[in-house]
Amino acid sequence: RYITPYLQPSILEKLPQAMRVYVIGSPLGQRDSVTSGIITRVKDNEIITDATILPGNSGGPLVDDMGKLLGVNTLKVVASDTDGSEGFGIAIPISNIFDEFNTIIQKDNSQ
């Protein structure tokens, strides 16, 4: 029997601007895709990144260059055609996930 390893959460309390990050997901039906970018800002419990988040990346991990879990990708904010930008991605920090779902996580780990 094979047990799939899981991602270890990052222990960083504060994520620095310009930190290299990777988005993992299955955008547009393409399994195991990876895009990269940097953290452009951490604001109001959101990690804002310029890494490409496509349909199918939502719910996937945002990781650092050591493979540590930083957050969960949630959406891409698309800019209007007039401002010359493609938009940015938003992820929920992993600390928020643990705060919100700690009871469920502990229950799953005890089984």
Side-chain angles (χ1 to χ4, degrees):
R1 179 176 156 193
Y2 180 78
I3 298 175
T4 304
Y6 58 90
L7 295 172
Q8 295 291 323
S10 172
I11 58 170
L12 292 175
E13 290 293 320
K14 184 174 180 181
L15 300 175
Q17 251 180 331
M19 177 182 187
R20 172 126 344 253
V21 293
Y22 301 89
V23 171
I24 303 172
S26 299
L28 307 172
Q30 303 300 309
R31 293 189 57 193
D32 305 323
S33 294
V34 177
T35 60
S36 65
I38 61 168
I39 293 175
T40 58
R41 185 174 185 194
V42 177
K43 171 188 170 237
D44 299 331
N45 298 318
E46 298 174 338
I47 302 170
I48 301 170
T49 176
D50 69 350
T52 302
I53 296 179
L54 300 168
N57 284 125
S58 297
L62 178 72
V63 299
D64 65 14
D65 58 0
M66 299 301 291
K68 298 291 185 182
L69 184 59
L70 302 173
V72 176
N73 302 310
T74 57
L75 65 103
K76 178 179 182 176
V77 176
V78 180
S80 69
D81 292 335
T82 60
D83 63 10
S85 173
E86 292 183 15
F88 53 88
I90 297 178
I92 300 169
I94 194 60
S95 60
N96 290 38
I97 301 297
F98 283 126
D99 288 347
E100 188 68 30
F101 297 102
N102 194 31
T103 304
I104 296 169
I105 292 168
Q106 287 179 351
K107 182 179 177 184
D108 284 347
N109 286 336
S110 67
Q111 295 179 2

